[in-house]
């Protein structure tokens, strides 16, 4: 008995090439979309890093400068009009000779609460300044123009383009308070297009 052969239809070469072309175009579009997503995510992470870095620095500066003029002998300050606190008059705004004006602020406060302005084991003279595109913290009571301050911001990651302090007097009832305006601007070292600027002001209640 003879076997009956069934004719099977397959994919032609043209159809196969069209299918391959459509598949390749889909993969290309998907790869482009994934690449764009990765690039966007990297940019968002970089911006978030700069935001966190700058906000942390500003918060530190504000909270520390607010302490300026604090003297543990508060009762003597209030009750004795002839008493002159060793922390009075310590808030000064200047700059390093190589930096913009008003980019350095120095102050003092009674950290160990002994009523004395210590300068030996614990130096109670503090400050912040702009130097070489970084925010630096004052060490051992050094002046704004002296070397030896320590980096607070990481110059390898963040490039600080502006640090400015402004000082105002504010009347509160019969008391004159000191108000500080702080401006900080920075950009990522690896991507200058990603930048951030923060401007804030606060009252130094212990200092008048």
């Amino acid at each position: 008995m003879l076997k009956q052969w069934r004719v099977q239809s397959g994919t032609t070469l043209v159809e196969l090439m069209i299918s391959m072309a459509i598949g390749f175009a889909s993969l290309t579009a998907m790869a482009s979309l994934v690449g764009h997503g990765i690039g966007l995510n990297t940019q968002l992470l970089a911006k978030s890093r700069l935001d966190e870095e700058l906000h942390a620095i500003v918060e530190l500066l504000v909270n520390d400068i607010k302490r300026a003029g604090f003297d543990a002998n508060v009762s003597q300050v209030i009750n004795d009009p002839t008493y002159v606190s060793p922390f009075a008059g310590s808030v000064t705004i200047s700059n390093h000779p190589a930096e913009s004006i008003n980019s350095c602020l120095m102050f003092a406060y009674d950290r160990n609460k002994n009523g004395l302005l210590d300068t030996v084991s614990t130096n109670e003279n503090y400050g912040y300044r702009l130097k070489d595109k970084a925010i630096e913290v004052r060490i051992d009571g050094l002046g704004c123009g002296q070397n030896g301050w320590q980096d607070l911001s990481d110059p390898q990651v963040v490039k600080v383009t502006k640090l400015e302090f402004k000082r105002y007097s504010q009347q509160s009832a019969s008391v004159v308070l000191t108000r500080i305006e702080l401006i900080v601007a920075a950009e990522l070292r690896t991507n200058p297009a990603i930048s951030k600027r923060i401007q804030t002001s606060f009252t130094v209640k212990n200092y008048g």
Side-chain angles (χ1 to χ4, degrees), residues 82-197:
T82 63
Y83 174 75
V84 178
S85 171
F87 304 95
S90 64
V91 174
T92 57
I93 297 176
S94 183
N95 60 280
H96 185 277
E99 301 296 339
S100 56
I101 62 171
N102 301 332
S103 59
C104 175
L105 185 143
M106 299 185 297
F107 57 99
Y109 62 86
D110 195 3
R111 179 182 289 273
N112 59 13
K113 302 178 182 180
N114 66 354
L116 302 173
L117 177 56
D118 297 311
T119 57
V120 184
S121 58
T122 299
N123 197 310
E124 294 175 328
N125 289 292
Y126 307 102
Y128 300 96
R129 75 176 182 184
L130 177 66
K131 178 70 166 61
D132 294 333
K133 304 303 180 181
I135 295 177
E136 295 184 335
V137 60
R138 189 182 186 188
I139 301 295
D140 297 330
L142 295 170
C144 284
Q146 293 180 287
N147 295 325
W149 291 48
Q150 183 176 340
D151 283 345
L152 178 63
S153 62
D154 187 348
Q156 301 300 320
V157 178
V158 175
K159 179 181 177 182
V160 180
T161 56
K162 185 180 185 64
L163 177 66
E164 183 177 353
F165 301 96
K166 296 179 181 179
R167 176 177 168 178
Y168 304 95
S169 295
Q170 177 181 336
Q171 187 78 27
S172 178
S174 59
V175 180
V176 178
L177 301 176
T178 296
R179 191 164 187 83
I180 301 293
E181 182 180 5
L182 169 63
I183 303 173
V184 183
E187 60 190 35
L188 282 180
R189 179 71 65 175
T190 57
N191 190 351
I194 299 178
S195 60
K196 179 77 174 179
R197 185 180 188 273

